[in-house]
Amino acid sequence: MKNNARNFYLIPYVAWIILFVVAPIILVVYYSFFDVEGHFTFGNYQKFFTPVYLKMTLSSFWYAFLITLFSLLIAYPTAYLLTKTRHKQLWLLLIILPSWINLLLKAYAFLGLFGTYGPANSFLEFIGVGEQQILFTDFSFVFVSVYIFIPFMILPIYNSLEELNASFIDAASDLGANAWTTFRRVVFPLTLDGVKSGCQAVFIPALSLFMITRLISGNRVITLGTAIEQHFLVTQDWGMGATIAVFLIIAMAIIMVLTGHRKRGGLA
Amino acid sequence: MKKLVRVFSAIFIISFALMYLASHLNASQGFTGGNTLNVYNWGDYIDPDLIKEFEKETGLKVVYQTFDSNEAMMTKISQGGTAYDVTIPSEYAIAKMKEEGMLIPLDHGKLPNLKYIDERYMDLSFDPGNKYSIPYFWGTFGIVYNPKMLGGKKLTSWNDLWDSDLKNQIFLVDGAREVIGMGLNSLHYSLNETDKEKLMEAKKKLDTLTPNVKAIIGDEIKLLVANEEAAIGVVWSGEAADIMWENEDLDYVIPEEGSNLWFDNMVIPKSAQNVDGAHQFINFMLDPENAAQNAEYVGYSTPNAIALELLPDEIKNDKRFYPDPELTEKLEVYDNLGKKMLAYYNDLFLEFKMHRK
Amino acid sequence: MKSNGKLAKLYLILVFAILYAPILYLTYYSFNSGGSMRDFEGFTLEWYKEVFQDTRLLIIALNTLIIALLSAAISTILGVFGALAITYVKRQRTKNTLQTLNNVLIVSPDVIIGASFLIFFTIIGIRLGFTSVLLSHIAFSVPIVVIMVLPKLQEMSSSLIDAARDLGASNWDILSKVILPFITPGIFAGFFMALTYSLDDFAVTFFVTGNGFSTLSVEIYSRARQGISLEVNALSTLIFLITIALVIGYYFINQRNVKSSAAGVRKA
């Protein structure tokens, strides 16, 4: 009985995987062995292990980490506070809403907001700190990236928090735990799955940001995405671009394994 | 379950309603039916009124699509799947497309208005005899700057940019050939240099510029320079014209060591379906009155000599955008350096970007 | 867990303020007679008039919406299948493989997805346009739906299923009356994430579109070169206002329904 059900679900899903995941991966790996003139070569992989690309990889991972960290730090309290409100689903939708406005427009808006003569600097002058260079810094880059990824972190955490049985919390305080201990040993572990989903949905795409690296950080921050975009669109060196993509996929696989879901009940 | 079913049914119903609405709007535009002309152009690079006029004159329906980079456009066209009748690449892209057999030769017999184009802009290295392309707009690459922000200083050469007074005051465009070319020109080398040693030299010189470079960006450079986020922008002449229109304090100069002369020309891809219509379109754009109207709307320099006469004095006498022949002699058109060399340029540029940290 | 009420409220307000700051900035300048996003010169509605006269832009906006709704809906359904499929798989190794494959599209840079899909579609012979864009959007939205739904499935206690089976439920009943209602929050989360992905996407759409079909993102990026006219601000503001109205309206209608049927037994 169960076998039939499982087979049925697998059919459309595996079909999608083969068509849109496996086939493109094969294409990408295939391309990574060709150089810019179409000759078969391992040269692309050699190139990847040179200082330029290794530095870029490190830089990408570092920034992706920062972005994920800050997203988590900001999203978690937000998600928690949302569960306490009266019209929680409404507020949740309102949090997601800004992400439906076109990214380029929002980036231009930030260019204006963070500009030398923009509102942010006016505010800083008002409170006495004085004009600062906000644009084209690491700060603005991480800030805007977190801005973009926040809904992806809030949603899964919110869902996890909603699932949390309130009686656990009451039990904890009955047993004498203060707020921090309750959080550390009851709430957070039970919402870990949501946190993991959120981190995956943020960290992994953050590795290949390229629009924001140009618009907000003025190419001060270089990610692997910058290089890929250049190779694919400008140089037409699909081989090198594909090689970088292969490494991104491997990195992703490793991260998935490291943060893998351990069995904890469930249906099967 | 019921709720899910209800919500999803609603979504599908709404979608189909919208599809009906969209096809209705499409029909009102006349997008259905034959006798269409597919035009693929840069964003906002034509006066929309001219399209309407063309449709009226010829009875053809223009399907107008836009792109934002030569490479993306070339990828789309070479992959097939969609047939463009006319497209307007930059000169280096035309050289590439020619090499890869992506273009069909033009029938000059069908282009009587060709005679209005200034001789200077015809028969250039990237398309001898204009077999495949007809000039649409042209321009230079140079420095737009704000003298007020620089205490009245005047910039005249690439080497001026290396001045230590200009810390954090320069925006560069995100173009490998342009930036490396700037380095090459400042060393009095050619923009089409292929000697790796000289290229390395140029790159090393650029590395010393990094303290002055605030950011390397794209189209938003116009907004930022106009907003005085930095005093200097290294940009194409068309962008400079836009920026100066926004902020009258700014000035544009073509550096005296030399620089790039670029062209955007009209071509007909091999996959075109309506070759006749394409020729009609090109000839229409060559008409001096149309070319003048277009030049006024778009703001870039027209290669059409008679159209130039029709433009208001303040435009046609502006030496910054219509420089004297002596200066244009010093400007170079980009040659197609071949994929490998271009990849090398891009690698150098990537290294330069990374150096900035 | 008691939290300092005022501080909490302030935090939420701050988050919302920052989230909506760029949107408000865009809206503010959509009324600017000055023509660009600097120096507000005077109030005008001319950009809004231009929007309604620009039939091409309106068609593009409609197309964007249609693609977003359809691709989100279909990918949600496919994604739920996928999550179910993964959960029912017995072997942990297969589970992990499927999950890793699932996430490949999230980590792959848009440019590569776009390029590989383009090649793929050309090989199969699908004409570029509405179909290819729709298929692509469905394809890259499925993973995020799976990521949103999977945790909920895994949290579900198997005793619920056993209880249902004991009471004589068929497979279909278990699915429709036990599983789906439980994971509905995850399904909606997945749907909205898919919607976001679709509305925001530029690179993939750009590569796989053709024959006059375009979406808002592609159009806006194309116009950026000549400077984005405030017409786009106006259009975005309109879309934003309509969406907010829909969201709030839908929510309050729903609330009323829930209240009126609260007394009765909830039908599955």
Side-chain angles (χ1 to χ4, degrees):
Chain A
M1 211 165 45
K2 231 191 232 176
N3 285 336
N4 283 343
R6 186 178 46 179
N7 286 344
F8 171 64
Y9 299 130
L10 272 180
I11 294 174
Y13 185 60
V14 172
W16 166 80
I17 284 193
I18 293 181
L19 280 179
F20 291 105
V21 178
V22 175
I25 292 185
I26 295 179
L27 270 173
V28 164
V29 173
Y30 176 73
Y31 268 100
S32 69
F33 289 110
F34 289 85
D35 74 10
V36 75
E37 286 173 335
H39 306 307
F40 185 85
T41 175
F42 287 108
N44 291 332
Y45 284 89
Q46 278 179 316
K47 229 204 226 170
F48 189 81
F49 287 102
T50 57
V52 177
Y53 284 96
L54 289 179
K55 225 176 25 157
M56 215 187 302
T57 312
L58 237 56
S59 168
S60 297
F61 272 86
W62 171 244
Y63 282 101
F65 169 72
L66 280 181
I67 295 171
T68 312
L69 180 66
F70 284 111
S71 303
L72 183 59
L73 287 177
I74 299 180
Y76 204 105
T78 315
Y80 176 74
L81 291 173
L82 278 179
T83 59
K84 298 265 173 242
T85 62
R86 213 156 43 109
H87 300 283
K88 45 182 107 167
Q89 293 204 319
L90 179 65
W91 295 119
L92 193 65
L93 271 175
L94 286 181
I95 292 241
I96 301 178
L97 208 59
S99 58
W100 292 345
I101 305 292
N102 181 267
L103 181 59
L104 187 62
L105 287 182
K106 287 188 291 197
Y108 270 76
F110 271 111
L111 286 180
L113 285 170
F114 284 163
T116 317
Y117 305 107
N121 266 316
S122 309
F123 175 71
L124 284 179
E125 283 198 31
F126 177 69
I127 62 174
V129 175
E131 229 172 67
Q132 299 285 330
Q133 174 66 44
I134 306 181
L135 279 178
F136 311 124
T137 60
D138 287 351
F139 168 75
S140 56
F141 175 69
V142 176
F143 186 92
V144 177
S145 304
V146 169
Y147 175 90
I148 296 172
F149 284 117
I150 271 257
F152 296 87
M153 183 68 89
I154 293 184
L155 251 187
I157 298 182
Y158 172 87
N159 276 341
S160 288
L161 281 169
E162 277 288 278
E163 284 304 300
L164 197 56
N165 196 335
S167 52
F168 286 156
I169 303 180
D170 295 335
S173 62
D174 276 348
L175 290 167
N178 62 21
W180 172 246
T181 316
T182 314
F183 173 73
R184 195 164 59 90
R185 309 203 47 196
V186 179
V187 176
F188 190 74
L190 286 175
T191 54
L192 205 56
D193 272 344
V195 170
K196 278 195 192 149
S197 294
C199 287
Q200 282 171 0
V202 173
F203 184 86
I204 296 173
L207 285 173
S208 51
L209 282 174
F210 74 88
M211 262 298 150
I212 302 297
T213 53
R214 198 194 74 196
L215 284 166
I216 303 292
S217 85
N219 277 309
R220 265 189 50 111
V221 174
I222 307 283
T223 65
L224 291 173
T226 318
I228 294 181
E229 193 237 356
Q230 203 169 297
H231 287 306
F232 259 86
L233 288 184
V234 182
T235 333
Q236 307 265 286
D237 187 356
W238 286 30
M240 194 62 212
T243 313
I244 305 180
V246 168
F247 280 103
L248 276 177
I249 296 177
I250 296 178
M252 181 269 304
I254 297 179
I255 294 175
M256 292 293 305
V257 165
L258 286 179
T259 63
H261 291 272
R262 256 147 278 139
K263 280 270 285 261
R264 197 182 294 132
L267 292 176
Chain B
M1 177 72 177
K2 230 191 190 183
K3 182 179 181 194
L4 281 175
V5 170
R6 233 185 306 148
V7 168
F8 277 84
S9 318
I11 293 176
F12 281 111
I13 295 180
I14 296 178
S15 306
F16 290 124
L18 290 177
M19 276 169 87
Y20 175 73
L21 181 60
S23 71
H24 177 77
L25 280 179
N26 257 326
S28 77
Q29 287 243 293
F31 278 142
T32 51
N35 227 8
T36 50
L37 185 73
N38 277 291
V39 178
Y40 201 27
N41 197 1
W42 298 84
D44 212 16
Y45 210 35
I46 195 173
D47 185 347
D49 289 335
L50 282 176
I51 301 185
K52 296 205 190 99
E53 255 185 69
F54 175 76
E55 289 177 327
K56 252 200 296 178
E57 249 184 55
T58 60
L60 292 170
K61 212 62 212 163
V62 174
V63 175
Y64 193 76
Q65 271 199 287
T66 57
F67 58 86
D68 72 327
S69 85
N70 283 300
E71 291 70 23
M73 175 269 295
M74 285 193 290
T75 311
K76 288 301 287 290
I77 293 191
S78 65
Q79 279 294 328
T82 189
Y84 298 109
D85 297 308
V86 180
T87 186
I88 308 189
S90 304
E91 82 289 339
Y92 73 90
I94 295 178
K96 255 200 205 165
M97 290 168 88
K98 249 192 356 174
E99 201 182 294
E100 305 193 359
M102 286 166 65
L103 306 174
I104 61 172
L106 301 174
D107 183 353
H108 287 204
K110 292 198 180 140
L111 305 172
N113 288 339
L114 197 49
K115 58 182 185 246
Y116 298 123
I117 299 283
D118 188 325
E119 297 263 306
R120 275 191 284 171
Y121 309 125
M122 296 286 285
D123 198 24
L124 293 167
S125 62
F126 61 88
D127 184 20
N130 288 89
K131 255 182 95 183
Y132 295 93
S133 66
I134 305 291
Y136 183 70
F137 280 121
W138 65 277
T140 56
F141 185 69
I143 308 175
V144 67
Y145 67 102
N146 192 329
K148 277 223 297 226
M149 281 175 80
L150 295 176
K153 198 150 121 143
K154 268 200 91 153
L155 298 177
T156 55
S157 69
W158 289 121
N159 278 302
D160 280 343
L161 294 176
W162 268 260
D163 195 327
S164 52
D165 280 343
L166 298 175
K167 251 202 182 43
N168 226 17
Q169 287 287 23
I170 305 181
F171 280 131
L172 297 176
V173 282
D174 194 359
R177 289 204 73 170
E178 285 75 15
V179 174
I180 306 273
M182 175 172 86
L184 287 168
N185 273 144
S186 72
L187 292 168
H188 302 284
Y189 294 148
S190 155
L191 283 181
N192 293 311
E193 191 56 65
T194 53
D195 185 324
K196 285 204 176 164
E197 262 186 45
K198 296 208 173 108
L199 286 172
M200 247 316 169
E201 205 190 319
K203 189 240 172 213
K204 290 218 170 75
K205 179 153 187 212
L206 285 171
D207 282 344
T208 62
L209 186 63
T210 51
N212 290 3
V213 177
K214 190 168 203 176
I216 304 176
I217 50 182
D219 301 310
E220 60 276 15
I221 200 173
K222 297 196 286 189
L223 179 74
L224 294 171
V225 174
N227 276 358
E228 301 182 0
E229 288 289 334
I232 302 172
V234 174
V235 294
W236 292 277
S237 52
E239 294 190 321
D242 287 337
I243 302 174
M244 285 158 63
W245 193 78
E246 280 290 323
N247 183 333
E248 294 181 350
D249 291 336
L250 297 168
D251 198 6
Y252 176 71
V253 65
I254 306 174
E256 57 195 22
E257 294 101 332
S259 182
N260 167 243
L261 185 67
W262 60 263
F263 285 89
D264 285 336
N265 284 23
M266 298 181 273
V267 298
I268 305 183
K270 193 143 94 169
S271 51
Q273 303 272 338
N274 189 347
V275 177
D276 264 345
H279 280 96
Q280 282 184 289
F281 184 80
I282 297 179
N283 200 43
F284 177 82
M285 295 311 300
L286 285 173
D287 177 281
E289 288 196 10
N290 296 336
Q293 189 180 333
N294 210 15
E296 272 201 90
Y297 177 88
V298 173
Y300 284 44
S301 306
T302 178
N304 191 316
I306 309 300
L308 185 54
E309 302 289 313
L310 295 173
L311 290 175
D313 276 341
E314 65 211 10
I315 297 185
K316 70 180 175 208
N317 289 332
D318 191 341
K319 292 280 180 245
R320 299 169 301 184
F321 298 104
Y322 290 97
D324 290 325
E326 306 88 55
L327 189 50
T328 38
E329 294 278 300
K330 281 218 247 145
L331 303 174
E332 289 176 277
V333 172
Y334 285 140
D335 285 338
N336 180 10
L337 301 175
K339 281 195 181 160
K340 233 173 168 186
M341 183 51 53
L342 284 179
Y344 186 67
Y345 267 76
N346 274 289
D347 284 339
L348 284 182
F349 189 46
L350 200 58
E351 274 185 53
F352 169 65
K353 282 183 185 172
M354 295 232 60
H355 178 89
R356 292 179 3 89
K357 278 228 100 176
Chain C
M1 202 163 108
K2 277 212 203 100
S3 51
N4 191 339
K6 255 196 168 177
L7 199 64
K9 257 203 187 160
L10 205 61
Y11 182 79
L12 269 184
I13 292 179
L14 190 63
V15 170
F16 269 96
I18 296 184
L19 271 178
Y20 279 83
I23 317 284
L24 293 175
Y25 187 88
L26 288 173
T27 311
Y28 176 68
Y29 278 102
S30 69
F31 297 109
N32 182 16
S33 66
S36 77
M37 290 205 264
R38 69 188 278 258
D39 297 339
F40 195 92
E41 281 176 29
F43 186 89
T44 177
L45 284 177
E46 72 173 279
W47 306 114
Y48 289 89
K49 261 191 266 163
E50 236 186 78
V51 169
F52 286 108
Q53 284 170 347
D54 191 346
T55 321
R56 178 153 180 268
L57 194 63
L58 285 176
I59 295 179
I60 292 178
L62 274 178
N63 285 338
T64 313
L65 198 56
I66 295 170
I67 292 278
L69 285 174
L70 278 180
S71 70
I74 299 177
S75 63
T76 306
I77 297 175
L78 249 186
V80 171
F81 278 13
L84 286 168
I86 292 183
T87 320
Y88 277 132
V89 163
K90 289 230 164 97
R91 283 170 55 211
Q92 187 64 28
R93 286 269 303 277
T94 325
K95 249 208 234 279
N96 284 343
T97 320
L98 279 178
Q99 278 190 274
T100 311
L101 280 175
N102 180 64
N103 294 351
V104 166
L105 286 186
I106 299 190
V107 68
S108 309
D110 290 349
V111 182
I112 299 206
I113 300 180
S116 50
F117 279 9
L118 176 61
I119 303 174
F120 182 60
F121 288 138
T122 327
I123 295 180
I124 300 189
I126 296 185
R127 218 165 143 256
L128 297 185
F130 178 76
T131 323
S132 55
V133 176
L134 184 62
L135 286 176
S136 309
H137 281 228
I138 295 176
F140 68 60
S141 295
V142 169
I144 195 69
V145 175
V146 173
I147 289 187
M148 293 286 151
V149 172
L150 206 50
K152 297 236 94 166
L153 274 175
Q154 289 170 333
E155 281 161 14
M156 199 164 162
S157 147
S158 57
S159 51
L160 272 175
I161 313 276
D162 296 337
R165 234 184 262 289
D166 279 346
L167 290 167
S170 69
N171 262 346
W172 175 251
D173 279 338
I174 294 182
L175 180 65
S176 62
K177 295 198 179 131
V178 180
I179 301 182
L180 283 182
F182 188 86
I183 61 174
T184 300
I187 297 182
F188 276 115
F191 174 77
F192 282 112
M193 285 292 102
L195 204 59
T196 309
Y197 269 29
S198 171
L199 286 172
D200 238 358
D201 178 73
F202 159 68
V204 178
T205 314
F206 176 82
F207 273 101
V208 304
T209 194
N211 292 311
F213 187 84
S214 188
T215 63
L216 216 47
S217 295
V218 175
E219 185 64 20
I220 293 179
Y221 275 87
S222 303
R223 290 193 186 195
R225 196 185 195 234
Q226 283 290 86
I228 301 180
S229 129
L230 291 179
E231 189 190 346
V232 179
N233 287 44
L235 181 63
S236 295
T237 309
L238 283 173
I239 297 179
F240 177 66
L241 289 174
I242 295 178
T243 322
I244 277 208
L246 282 175
V247 163
I248 298 185
Y250 171 77
Y251 185 75
F252 281 110
I253 295 179
N254 223 19
Q255 285 294 80
R256 255 191 292 144
N257 282 344
V258 167
K259 286 207 194 94
S260 62
S261 63
V265 175
R266 193 163 144 251
K267 298 203 188 91

